[in-house]
């Protein structure tokens, strides 16, 4: 998968689904002087590239166990829109429990961005990586070097409770297997 890099003023954010992308898009749009209240995902005024050349790159990596719970609650439990429709084409159903959702993941990771491994989004170029869970303090660090960035809003809040409560031993084992590289990367940060 090619990296999806949102960029402005020499700074590029690698947008990984379920890793704060909506909040980042809103902040970049506000930093560009654009209205941040309009629909964010279809804004053609935002500039994207697949090439990281000449950009200072930043990416946020989320705990893979939490990210999959977030994808489940956002796209299966809460969403009746395009996000669910893409998963529906892969055989996912609205009435799936979380363990059923996880059991249905093998063989489908490359077909839908919200369940694709995070490592597949990262470009080969040098990228500053931060944990999604540390996004607030990391954003402050990035803002100190890029004064055009506003305070990061918290958009697209999930309705989920504690992610650990979703897991059965089998679901945990399967996620650990499917997202092994993401887990190692997250632990390395």
């Amino acid at each position: 998968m090619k990296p999806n890099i949102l960029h402005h003023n020499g700074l590029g954010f690698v947008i990984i689904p379920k890793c704060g992308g909506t909040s980042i898009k809103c902040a970049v749009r506000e930093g560009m002087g654009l209205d941040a209240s309009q629909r964010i995902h279809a804004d053609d005024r935002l500039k994207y590239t697949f090439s990281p050349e000449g950009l200072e790159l930043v990416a946020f990596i989320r705990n893979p166990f939490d990210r999959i719970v977030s994808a489940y609650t956002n796209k299966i439990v809460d969403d009746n829109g395009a996000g669910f429709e893409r998963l529906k084409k892969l055989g996912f159903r609205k009435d799936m429990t979380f363990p059923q959702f996880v059991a249905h993941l093998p063989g489908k990771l490359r077909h839908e961005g919200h369940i694709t491994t995070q490592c597949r989004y990262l470009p080969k170029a040098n990228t500053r990586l931060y944990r999604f869970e540390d996004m607030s303090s990391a954003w402050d660090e990035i803002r100190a070097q890029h004064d055009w960035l506003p305070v990061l809003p918290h958009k697209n809040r999930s309705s989920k409770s504690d992610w650990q409560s979703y897991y059965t031993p089998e679901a945990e084992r399967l996620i650990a297997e499917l997202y092994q590289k993401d887990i190692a990367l997250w632990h390395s940060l």
Side-chain angles (χ1 to χ4, degrees):
M1 177 169 288
K2 292 181 178 179
N4 190 21
I5 303 167
L6 170 62
H7 64 95
H8 184 66
N9 285 348
L11 179 63
F13 290 98
V14 180
I15 302 298
I16 300 172
K18 306 313 302 165
C19 293
T22 301
S23 297
I24 292 168
K25 291 173 192 178
C26 285
V28 169
R29 188 159 62 178
E30 183 180 333
M32 293 171 67
L34 302 173
D35 180 6
S37 66
Q38 297 174 352
R39 177 139 172 81
I40 191 73
H41 294 299
D43 191 340
D44 58 7
R45 297 171 298 177
L46 295 177
K47 297 179 185 122
Y48 291 91
T49 184
F50 294 124
S51 172
E53 288 185 37
L55 295 173
E56 175 188 349
L57 295 177
V58 173
F60 290 92
I61 305 299
R62 189 173 190 167
N63 177 321
F65 293 98
D66 184 26
R67 181 172 175 257
I68 293 305
V69 171
S70 180
Y72 169 75
T73 58
N74 181 248
K75 301 302 174 197
I76 299 294
V77 176
D78 297 341
D79 191 318
N80 291 312
F84 171 69
E85 289 304 315
R86 287 190 304 269
L87 288 172
K88 184 178 176 184
K89 289 177 183 175
L90 296 172
F92 291 90
R93 301 178 328 274
K94 292 294 279 180
D95 64 347
M96 283 182 147
T97 64
F98 182 71
Q100 290 169 331
F101 175 79
V102 170
H104 198 69
L105 289 171
K108 299 181 180 65
L109 301 187
R110 294 180 177 263
H111 302 288
E112 210 290 320
H114 294 87
I115 59 174
T116 296
T117 62
Q118 296 170 86
C119 289
R120 291 198 66 218
Y121 283 96
L122 297 175
K124 302 269 188 258
N126 288 338
T127 305
R128 274 193 305 176
L129 300 177
Y130 296 96
R131 283 186 174 186
F132 166 85
E133 295 79 5
D134 300 328
M135 189 175 235
S136 181
S137 61
W139 190 263
D140 290 342
E141 180 183 314
I142 297 163
R143 278 185 69 215
Q145 299 168 5
H146 299 277
D147 62 359
W148 60 270
L149 284 171
V151 172
L152 184 69
H154 188 168
K155 300 290 185 179
N156 205 17
R157 290 182 190 265
S158 176
S159 67
K160 69 180 177 64
S161 57
D162 177 42
W163 62 265
Q164 289 135 330
S165 66
Y166 284 77
Y167 280 90
T168 62
E170 177 57 21
E172 185 175 347
R173 184 202 61 75
L174 191 53
I175 293 300
E177 179 183 312
L178 293 171
Y179 295 91
Q180 183 177 15
K181 289 181 182 177
D182 284 359
I183 292 167
L185 177 60
W186 185 81
H187 280 295
S188 75
L189 300 177

